[in-house]
Amino acid sequence: MRYIESEAVELKEKFTDVICKDIVAFLNTSGGILILGVRDDGTVVGVKKIDETMKKISDVITMQIEPNPQDEIRSELKFEDGKTLIVVYVNKGIRNIYCQKRYGFSSSGCVVRVGTTCREMTPEQIRIRYEQNFIDSEYMLKKRSSFAELTFRELKVYYSEKGYHTDEKNFEANLNLRNEMGEYNLLAELLSDHNNIPFIFVKFQGKDKSSISERNDYGEGCLLTTYNKIKTRLEAENICISDTTVRPRKDRYLFDYDSVNEAVLNALVHNDWTITEPQISMFSDRIEIISHGGLPRGLSEKQFFEGISKPRNATLMRIFLSMGLTEHTGHGIPTIVSHYGTSAFYIEENLIRCVIPFDPDVMEKSQKNVRINVGINVRINATQKKVLRLLIEDPGSTAASMSLNLGLSARTIQRALSALRDKGLIERDGSNRNGTWKVLKQI
């Protein structure tokens, strides 16, 4: 085979430090192929020290280029005329600009591919691309999913229930579930029926993390379903103390539910999912919700507390908007601040921690079991407790699935559900066929 250099092909007789520059140029332009073991004139000479050279290339990719381009590059060995070649395939970068770390985002560090050569970018070109890295809210649309095949049955059900027409042919395109290469993106993975993205709810016994009393994973599926599960769990955890000696009766809750709900929605919609998933931790005296990525670029703390809306993930926010789960009004943060003040937030460079303290009076009375759950003294049996726990974890559970899970007859499950509903602990949201259970109180 005759090899010829072009705008998309770079030939190298052997490994040199210039390879870093060539890879950066491909990332900043339209991608390309780097072939080691071939001279400029196309003569195949092969690579002598294969393992050593592969390690050097790996070091270049992981340590000498910023941002890290590992997802955009792959390499393989190729055999030609009895000689071994190393072929490095470089996709066009999903970020707007890449540089050689040793030079930084300067003209020497930022290059593009022009013909068969690398050309330095001008300071103005660098500035424009660099700034775009931080104002581009669609990064999750470009990042490739961990899975090549995904399904969206639950997502389609949500859209159908809201009255949207889910055209099978255009559904994925309308929601931007594929990147420019036609591959499923990170957004698609978050909204798919099955994925490997967890969402952990941890309950600790005291005020620190020394002892875990409960750990549940509500993730690994459609993010909308994850939110609904978390919402049900928080509703169940929100203990109510009632003063029935006055009229009208006065209810006090463990925490302001609207504030916690807004914190969870903000964590889901504005989290930098390329770092890791948000976390919810419940202690004996507070709830902590952590989202990653810090404040979006260009948004000050003052603007954040005033409710200025600058979504990190604009497309994900539009999906939550279309489902009626959030509003693009920026009232979420002011809602929390009005109840708990700005001290509820701890803003760091790469994360935002929202801490919602519990009502001390409710905490004290709940520990004594005084007039809990709207003043109703409710007793339930062991089976009903098990069913209630399953419904907290999965509001979509059916009598059949709970029967299998608990090893009890479907009739026994149905009796437990009827008893829980009669006692005001659960209610059905939607039809018997397509609806879900809502846990009103937790015993």
Side-chain angles (χ1 to χ4, degrees):
M1 179 177 177
R2 181 69 176 175
Y3 294 96
I4 301 175
E5 280 196 343
S6 67
E7 191 168 24
V9 178
E10 174 67 25
L11 305 178
K12 294 292 181 187
E13 181 176 353
K14 59 183 180 180
F15 178 90
T16 66
D17 291 340
V18 178
I19 283 176
C20 181
K21 185 176 182 180
D22 293 316
I23 292 176
V24 168
F26 281 140
L27 288 165
N28 283 333
T29 314
S30 302
I33 302 173
L34 183 66
I35 305 175
L36 277 73
V38 182
R39 291 175 179 158
D40 291 344
D41 61 5
T43 303
V44 175
V45 296
V47 178
K48 303 298 182 184
K49 300 179 180 179
I50 305 298
D51 291 342
E52 180 181 326
T53 303
M54 290 289 283
K55 184 181 184 306
K56 288 180 178 179
I57 294 172
S58 177
D59 288 344
V60 167
I61 296 169
T62 58
M63 301 174 63
Q64 297 182 30
I65 299 175
E66 185 179 353
N68 190 309
Q70 281 179 277
D71 289 344
E72 317 314 316
I73 302 172
R74 65 181 179 87
S75 58
E76 68 177 18
L77 300 180
K78 187 173 181 179
F79 304 98
E80 188 81 23
D81 298 333
K83 298 179 176 64
T84 303
L85 308 181
I86 298 177
V87 183
V88 182
Y89 298 91
V90 184
N91 292 331
K92 178 182 178 181
I94 59 175
R95 302 305 295 266
N96 295 291
I97 190 168
Y98 294 79
C99 74
Q100 301 173 78
K101 275 188 178 180
R102 60 177 174 173
Y103 299 118
F105 290 97
S106 65
S107 293
S108 298
C110 302
V111 292
V112 292
R113 184 83 172 178
V114 179
T116 59
T117 62
C118 297
R119 179 174 296 176
E120 294 182 354
M121 297 172 64
T122 66
E124 179 66 11
Q125 289 172 325
I126 295 171
R127 183 188 65 79
I128 292 172
R129 286 208 191 192
Y130 184 80
E131 290 179 354
Q132 190 65 25
N133 261 349
F134 300 101
I135 63 173
D136 185 357
S137 61
E138 302 301 313
Y139 178 58
M140 64 175 3
L141 303 186
K142 300 176 183 179
K143 182 173 176 60
R144 185 171 62 243
S145 165
S146 303
F147 298 89
E149 298 296 330
L150 297 171
T151 60
F152 305 97
R153 181 186 61 81
E154 291 184 27
L155 184 61
K156 291 175 182 177
V157 169
Y158 284 116
Y159 270 85
S160 295
E161 289 177 344
K162 287 294 181 180
Y164 293 98
H165 177 62
T166 56
D167 181 5
E168 192 69 31
K169 182 179 179 181
N170 299 318
F171 183 78
E172 293 180 0
N174 289 340
L175 294 185
N176 297 311
L177 301 182
R178 292 182 182 269
N179 61 23
E180 296 174 351
M181 306 297 292
E183 305 161 316
Y184 283 123
N185 53 31
L186 178 56
L187 176 66
E189 188 170 352
L190 283 170
L191 297 171
S192 64
D193 296 323
H194 303 286
N195 56 54
N196 288 334
I197 302 174
F199 195 100
I200 307 299
F201 180 100
V202 183
K203 195 171 182 180
F204 297 95
Q205 289 185 351
K207 296 181 180 181
D208 57 34
K209 295 184 177 182
S210 59
S211 180
I212 295 177
S213 63
E214 192 175 342
R215 183 183 186 276
N216 298 101
D217 186 355
Y218 295 111
E220 300 188 353
C222 179
L223 192 60
L224 299 177
T225 301
T226 293
Y227 166 68
N228 284 324
K229 290 180 179 179
I230 290 292
K231 183 179 178 181
T232 300
R233 177 59 186 267
L234 292 172
E235 288 172 340
E237 292 285 357
N238 198 14
I239 296 170
C240 176
I241 301 295
S242 297
D243 183 355
T244 57
T245 63
V246 297
R247 293 290 182 271
R249 182 184 66 202
K250 290 185 177 180
D251 295 335
R252 291 184 66 175
Y253 288 88
L254 187 62
F255 53 82
D256 180 65
Y257 176 78
D258 288 340
S259 294
V260 174
N261 184 54
E262 290 295 341
V264 171
L265 282 169
N266 274 289
L268 292 171
V269 173
H270 301 296
N271 185 66
D272 186 344
W273 290 90
T274 65
I275 298 175
T276 188
E277 68 282 351
Q279 289 102 38
I280 299 180
S281 300
M282 187 171 179
F283 300 85
S284 61
D285 63 343
R286 68 194 187 279
I287 289 179
E288 293 188 3
I289 300 103
I290 296 177
S291 62
H292 299 275
L295 292 176
R297 177 68 61 164
L299 186 69
S300 67
E301 285 194 24
K302 181 175 181 295
Q303 292 171 325
F304 173 78
F305 288 125
E306 288 175 349
I308 303 296
S309 182
K310 189 171 185 179
R312 188 188 309 277
N313 307 308
T315 303
L316 182 60
M317 168 167 269
R318 284 196 294 271
I319 290 172
F320 270 71
L321 282 169
S322 63
M323 293 296 100
L325 299 177
T326 187
E327 300 177 8
H328 198 16
T329 58
H331 80 285
I333 302 303
T335 295
I336 300 171
V337 171
S338 68
H339 282 88
Y340 298 104
T342 58
S343 60
F345 291 93
Y346 298 83
I347 301 174
E348 301 177 30
E349 183 179 356
N350 290 318
L351 63 82
I352 298 176
R353 185 193 311 270
C354 180
V355 179
I356 304 294
F358 293 156
D359 184 307
D361 191 43
V362 176
M363 287 171 55
E364 180 184 356
K365 288 189 168 82
S366 65
Q367 290 169 0
K368 298 177 181 179
N369 202 29
V370 177
R371 297 186 184 275
I372 301 177
N373 292 325
V374 200
I376 300 175
N377 187 15
V378 180
R379 294 181 181 275
I380 61 177
N381 62 33
T383 298
Q384 292 163 6
K385 285 183 180 179
K386 291 177 182 178
V387 170
L388 190 65
R389 178 59 61 189
L390 286 179
L391 294 181
I392 290 172
E393 295 178 357
D394 183 5
S397 294
T398 63
S401 66
M402 287 187 282
S403 174
L404 290 172
N405 194 310
L406 298 177
L408 301 171
S409 68
R411 186 173 179 79
T412 299
I413 299 298
Q414 289 287 6
R415 284 199 298 267
L417 290 170
S418 297
L420 292 170
R421 183 152 48 181
D422 291 343
K423 292 173 181 178
L425 299 180
I426 62 172
E427 68 178 15
R428 189 69 176 174
D429 187 6
S431 67
N432 289 333
R433 181 176 181 181
N434 298 318
T436 59
W437 289 103
K438 184 176 181 180
V439 178
L440 303 177
K441 309 177 189 73
Q442 183 179 358
I443 301 298

